Amino acid sequence: MEIIKELSRVEFGSVLLRELIIDCNTHGQTKHRDVNGSIECCKCNDAKINKARDKRLKIDSQNMKALMTTKMISKGVSLNKGRFSDWQYDETKNTEQRDKIAQLQQYSESINSHSPNLIILGRTGTGKTMLANAIAINQYLRKEQSLPSEFDSYNQQDFYNHTCELITSFNIGSQVRTCWGNSQKSEDDYLRSLVANELLIIDDLGAGDGHAKDRERIAQIINLRYKKAPTLITTNLDIDDLSKYLGDRAWDRLRENVLVMICDWDSYRAKNAVIQLVGSAK
């Protein structure tokens, strides 16, 4: 390796550092660094460092993608169905329905702590849970975009912990009951973990959760989230019945800043239902 020019020389005791101009097979005549006779092209070294960095970032990104997927599943969000792109429009309600879905999608793209609460009303089978799930997916995708460009996945294990949870009000009661007698996690601990979500979706409110304690629990969650984070509710109840279910205090806080969407179209399952009679007369 022929030295074309020596740019600098520094000696620290037994250590000799030199900067040299040498002809590199890849980069031509360029600066090299010599440490006690070990000579390396500076540009080759930079390329090696960048390649190792890119590989590490790719692995970290893959790890964080897997972490997000795992967190979404554990938080009740469906990955296989329930995106806005999956929605099938009702031809009889086409224009009106498209406007409503577009507003929901716009809402989902800018959710923050000041966003309004959202209530999706409608009969069984009108797609309320699917719409809620689509909003939840967008919440996670937006969270993913906020990852810092430089990160280590092993330092980001809690990144998605409080992004969004989708849970039926009935299952909230079921989860609470598993805390009774549990020395590791109390009912209050569980409720506060729900409250901590940046977006909380309480699905199918009013279905199988009519006990007074269930209602008090939902009201407590809404009260604790008041002016801290938005709550999304899907329900078959109308506004009057919903306000009675929640009680004056929780309803008053929920409605202070709320969007209401009514799914006033027919059940999708009813349209696709296939009913066959068994043993019908010939």
Side-chain angles (χ1 to χ4, degrees):
M1 185 177 291
E2 183 180 350
I3 298 173
I4 297 173
K5 184 177 181 181
E6 182 176 284
L7 299 176
S8 65
R9 171 189 290 258
V10 179
E11 295 185 40
F12 297 96
S14 61
V15 178
L16 172 63
L17 302 177
R18 295 192 300 169
E19 285 190 341
L20 311 168
I21 297 295
I22 296 177
D23 195 5
C24 170
N25 292 333
T26 303
H27 299 102
Q29 289 188 10
T30 187
K31 187 185 295 184
H32 285 57
R33 187 173 291 108
D34 174 16
V35 181
N36 279 357
S38 177
I39 302 175
E40 187 173 35
C41 170
C42 294
K43 289 185 177 180
C44 287
N45 186 55
D46 289 344
K48 187 190 302 182
I49 292 172
N50 289 334
K51 184 177 180 180
R53 171 182 168 274
D54 291 343
K55 182 178 180 180
R56 176 178 60 80
L57 289 176
K58 182 178 180 180
I59 292 172
D60 281 335
S61 180
Q62 290 170 343
N63 289 341
M64 291 303 293
K65 175 72 76 173
L67 178 66
M68 183 180 76
T69 299
T70 300
K71 185 59 66 175
M72 291 171 74
I73 293 171
S74 71
K75 293 276 194 172
V77 181
S78 173
L79 303 175
N80 299 323
K81 58 182 180 179
R83 298 171 183 261
F84 283 108
S85 58
D86 298 327
W87 185 262
Q88 296 179 3
Y89 290 92
D90 186 329
E91 293 181 1
T92 65
K93 297 276 188 177
N94 199 310
T95 302
E96 180 186 359
Q97 194 183 63
R98 284 184 183 277
D99 288 343
K100 288 182 177 181
I101 304 305
Q103 287 180 51
L104 285 190
Q105 190 164 5
Q106 185 177 10
Y107 170 86
S108 72
E109 292 168 356
S110 59
I111 293 173
N112 57 48
S113 60
H114 303 294
S115 294
N117 302 304
L118 176 62
I119 301 172
I120 303 179
L121 308 173
R123 291 170 292 175
T124 300
T126 51
K128 300 184 299 298
T129 299
M130 179 177 176
L131 292 172
N133 193 84
I135 291 172
I137 288 175
N138 278 5
Q139 181 73 358
Y140 276 95
L141 293 179
R142 287 178 57 244
K143 184 76 172 182
E144 182 183 34
Q145 292 172 359
S146 70
L147 269 169
S149 57
E150 288 280 356
F151 64 91
D152 294 308
S153 56
Y154 54 83
N155 286 330
Q156 298 284 348
Q157 293 302 301
D158 61 349
F159 186 76
Y160 293 109
N161 279 1
H162 305 302
T163 302
C164 178
E165 183 157 357
L166 193 162
I167 184 170
T168 66
S169 56
F170 177 81
N171 282 339
I172 290 176
S174 297
Q175 289 296 316
V176 162
R177 286 185 278 279
T178 66
C179 298
W180 295 348
N182 186 339
S183 60
Q184 301 299 316
K185 188 174 185 179
S186 67
E187 175 177 340
D188 186 63
D189 291 334
Y190 172 68
L191 293 181
R192 289 190 178 278
S193 71
L194 288 178
V195 170
N197 284 289
E198 295 166 16
L199 175 65
L200 176 62
I201 301 174
I202 303 176
D203 190 32
D204 219 7
L205 185 72
D209 53 6
H211 192 278
K213 283 299 283 184
D214 293 326
R215 298 185 180 205
E216 291 172 11
R217 204 173 286 121
I218 299 297
Q220 180 184 357
I221 292 170
I222 291 172
N223 289 334
L224 289 172
R225 290 176 62 79
Y226 177 60
K227 288 193 174 181
K228 294 179 181 176
T231 303
L232 191 164
I233 292 174
T234 76
T235 181
N236 291 358
L237 302 174
D238 60 25
I239 288 293
D240 288 340
D241 289 338
L242 177 60
S243 63
K244 292 174 185 175
Y245 178 100
L246 295 175
D248 290 341
R249 183 180 178 84
W251 171 244
D252 196 52
R253 293 187 169 194
L254 186 72
R255 72 177 179 178
E256 181 179 332
N257 188 19
V258 67
L259 295 173
V260 178
M261 174 180 164
I262 301 175
C263 300
D264 56 352
W265 43 83
D266 293 332
S267 167
Y268 282 92
R269 286 190 288 271
K271 291 178 183 178
N272 298 321
V274 177
I275 302 175
Q276 298 179 343
L277 296 177
V278 178
S280 58
K282 294 182 180 180

